[in-house]
Amino acid sequence: MIPSERDDRQMTLSMYQLAVPPFVQGLGALSAVLAKAEAFAGARKFDAAVLLSSRLAPDMFPLNRQVQIACDFAKSTPARLAGVEVPSWKDEEKTIADLRARIARTLDCVRSFKPGQVDGSEEREVTLTLAGKPVSLKGQPYLVHFVLPNFYFHSTVAYAILRHNGVELGKRDFMGNVPGLSEQLADRA
Amino acid sequence: MIPSERDDRQMTLSMYQLAVPPFVQGLGALSAVLAKAEAFAGARKFDAAVLLSSRLAPDMFPLNRQVQIACDFAKSTPARLAGVEVPSWKDEEKTIADLRARIARTLDCVRSFKPGQVDGSEEREVTLTLAGKPVSLKGQPYLVHFVLPNFYFHSTVAYAILRHNGVELGKRDFMGNVPGLSEQLADRA
């Protein structure tokens, strides 16, 4: 790749830029948030696994399911846009360490995609199953209007369950590393 | 605009496509969610304004502030990317009707931007105030890594406060109108 091509790519929003780096940011933040939850349970001397079954409402999913779903959106999105098979994993996490391992595995999966596999997928047909039936969407609305709201929904609810249970967290924990911003905020405690 | 130009634009992800339609979707959903909350309060015969001060944790913002902040991210983002002044509004909503009016005003504001004002702003410098100090970001990381996680965070917390208080809502209420998907789901009640 010649330098001018690389520069062009970085200066223009692309499907890859929206289907990989946001998950790297969001999942990294979620893993750090879970680490703080585990430390909180240790300091208060309760079993951290209690948090995994905590919910904000009886008919909302508990923490472990929220994290699993956030990971599933992250791993399936670049795969579907690239037209490769979505890896299927069992949902069997029992501890915060298990959830953080799933996030790490998801990050490896997401990071394995290259821009050339995902870029240009705006019009590519993506098929998924909703409420037991197949639906299809073009790549761009799938990513912008379906995946991102879902991913942030589940990662926010995971964070909110922990805040509701007293874990000491702030908005910057949720945001994680904002490229170009974290350096400017580093000197403000 | 000649047809081939319009087709090209729709087939390629752009800053406008990411800085306007997601807010139209998310704010429309949030307004409908608030309408359901008001109806719930009416059916249960309690003052809906109680919900506006409800929180998930004592050190998290209540519902009215979550909605105000979601609106503020929506109205400021296309303005900053377009390099025009961000409208400043007082935070004085006291009822769900007030919050829905703020959302309607935000939607008008967001919809007033044209693709030509926002497209191509990937490298444009955006300055904002965080923790009382100015920080600057380029347009693309500002939108992708700062604004969207924040917008979905606050709209999700607003939704979660209502779920936590028993309002009958489902994930599809949060998602709102996903372009191309809602039609396929319309026949499934």
Side-chain angles (χ1 to χ4, degrees), chain A residues 42 50 58-59 67 94 113 146 151 155 183 188:
Chain A
V50 169
D59 53 352
V67 175
K94 301 287 181 213
F113 287 89
F146 180 75
F151 174 74
S155 50
E183 304 82 326
R188 309 182 199 171

Side-chain angles (χ1 to χ4, degrees), chain B residues 18-95:
Chain B
L18 199 57
V20 171
F23 296 130
V24 173
Q25 175 188 1
L27 292 171
L30 188 55
S31 184
V33 159
L34 289 169
K36 286 196 174 186
E38 189 160 43
F40 174 82
R44 300 286 185 98
K45 301 194 191 337
F46 69 85
D47 182 358
V50 169
L51 296 170
L52 271 68
S53 58
S54 296
R55 307 167 189 260
L56 292 174
D59 53 353
M60 287 181 85
F61 286 129
L63 177 68
N64 63 343
R65 192 82 195 102
Q66 301 290 350
V67 174
Q68 287 162 353
I69 298 174
C71 287
D72 288 350
F73 273 104
K75 76 173 159 62
S76 61
T77 298
R80 288 204 178 105
L81 291 171
V84 305
E85 199 176 347
V86 178
S88 178
W89 301 340
K90 286 185 179 164
D91 295 323
E92 52 193 8
E93 287 79 9
K94 302 286 181 215
T95 65

Side-chain angles (χ1 to χ4, degrees), chain A residues 56 136 150 164 171 184, chain B residues 56 130 136 150 164 171 184:
Chain A
L56 292 175
S136 66
N150 263 297
H164 185 63
K171 181 70 157 319
Q184 298 178 65
Chain B
L56 292 174
L130 281 184
S136 65
N150 263 299
H164 184 63
K171 180 70 158 317
Q184 297 178 65

Side-chain angles (χ1 to χ4, degrees), chain A residues 125-143:
Chain A
E125 207 77 26
V126 169
T127 302
L128 56 157
T129 303
L130 282 185
K133 288 189 186 173
V135 295
S136 66
L137 279 171
K138 294 198 171 184
Q140 183 175 319
Y142 164 70
L143 177 56

